[in-house]
Structure formats: structure tokens, C-alpha cells
Amino acid sequence: MMRIVLSLLLISTLALTACQSRWNPVNWFGADEPAPEGTANPLLPGQEDTGVFAKRPVAVYSGIPIQTVKSVTVQKVPEGALVTAVGVPRVHGVFAVKLKPRNGGVPENGVLTYDLLGVHPAGAPYGGPERSREVTVGHVVTTQQLKGVHTIRVAGQQNARQARRR
């Protein structure tokens, strides 16, 4: 029985490779063809491409500082440290929350400072329970970025919180 199955598999494999069907894995991509002039090489930096794979314009982040920073925690991870910040904005529905480093991520006197930012929706209702407005964000800081850092500080509009190394 095993010989029959093996024979059928071998015969069907040979038959598929001989034909020009879409089931033949060798024919999944067609033969090479000349590219039209003006198409940039995507492997070479600095060449602009206007085709289908052209780079999209970089979107501008429109986040503004979150009103208060409620807590900051730093946990050790294989890459370095995971900074988690919880903030409370004035309005409901804040999204795209992020920690933006000050000084380009360079620590000042051993203090690495981040601004807690979020995009506030237009016409969002103010107030309400604090718990319903809370936002949380995480940011990984690499071991190289942590060199010489003993304090990580997260700043909001009204306050700042920090975590120190022990």
C-alpha cells in the first residue's frame, strides 16, 4: 500500500512540474521582465519613488500634555526597562497616548524626562469620574539609553511623577 501511495505522489509531482498550471510552485512568479524607466531602486537610499510603493508623508503627531500623571512604574525587561505611566486627562476619549522624551532622550544629571501626551478629540465632554478618563501608556527604554540614569520622570500639565533606581 505504501508503495502505491509513494508512486502516485511521485508521478503527480513530476506531472505538475511539467505543466504550466498555477498549481506548479515553480510557476507562481512569472519570468523576469524589464522595469519601466524612472522606477527607483528601493534598496538605494535617497531615491524617490512615485509608484505604488511610494513612501507616505510622515504624519504630524498632534498630542498635547495630559492634565495629571497619576502613577509611574518601571519594570526590568530583557531590552532594558518598561516605563508605564497612567494619566488623567480633562476630557473623555483621549487616544494615541505616548511618552515623548525631552532632550532627544538624553538624560540631564541622571534624570531621563518624558512628557505624557495624548490626542484630545474635538467636542469631547469634560469632567466625569476620574477612573473613566484614565489612560495608560508603556514605553521601552533600552539598556544603552539607561546608562547613567538613576531617575525616570514623567511630566504632565499640572504635575510630574518619578521612579528612582534602588
Side-chain angles (χ1 to χ4, degrees):
M1 181 67 177
M2 187 64 152
R3 285 185 179 186
I4 295 173
V5 172
L6 188 59
S7 297
L8 286 174
L9 182 65
L10 181 61
I11 291 170
S12 63
T13 303
L14 289 173
L16 276 178
T17 57
C19 67
Q20 297 295 322
S21 73
R22 65 184 176 105
W23 298 102
N24 183 355
V26 177
N27 295 331
W28 285 352
F29 292 98
D32 66 334
E33 56 189 33
E37 294 293 323
T39 301
N41 185 346
L43 301 177
L44 298 175
Q47 292 188 5
E48 295 299 321
D49 189 8
T50 58
V52 176
F53 298 108
K55 292 182 182 176
R56 295 180 183 165
V58 178
V60 178
Y61 181 70
S62 60
I64 60 174
I66 301 293
Q67 183 180 9
T68 58
V69 179
K70 189 172 181 180
S71 68
V72 173
T73 58
V74 180
Q75 298 172 336
K76 188 173 182 176
V77 293
E79 297 84 14
L82 173 65
V83 180
T84 306
V86 177
V88 181
R90 288 187 177 142
V91 297
H92 287 274
V94 173
F95 61 98
V97 181
K98 76 178 203 176
L99 291 172
K100 181 180 176 189
R102 288 188 187 170
N103 281 348
V106 178
E108 289 181 354
N109 300 324
V111 179
L112 187 58
T113 305
Y114 290 93
D115 289 318
L116 181 59
L117 305 174
V119 177
H120 292 62
Y126 281 89
E130 181 178 292
R131 186 169 176 98
S132 69
R133 293 179 284 137
E134 278 184 6
V135 292
T136 304
V137 65
H139 180 76
V140 175
V141 184
T142 64
T143 306
Q144 292 81 11
Q145 294 169 327
L146 286 173
K147 281 189 177 179
V149 174
H150 57 79
T151 304
I152 295 179
R153 181 177 187 266
V154 177
Q157 235 176 11
Q158 294 181 348
N159 71 334
R161 300 204 45 105
Q162 61 189 16
R164 297 177 188 254
R165 275 193 181 176
R166 295 178 183 170

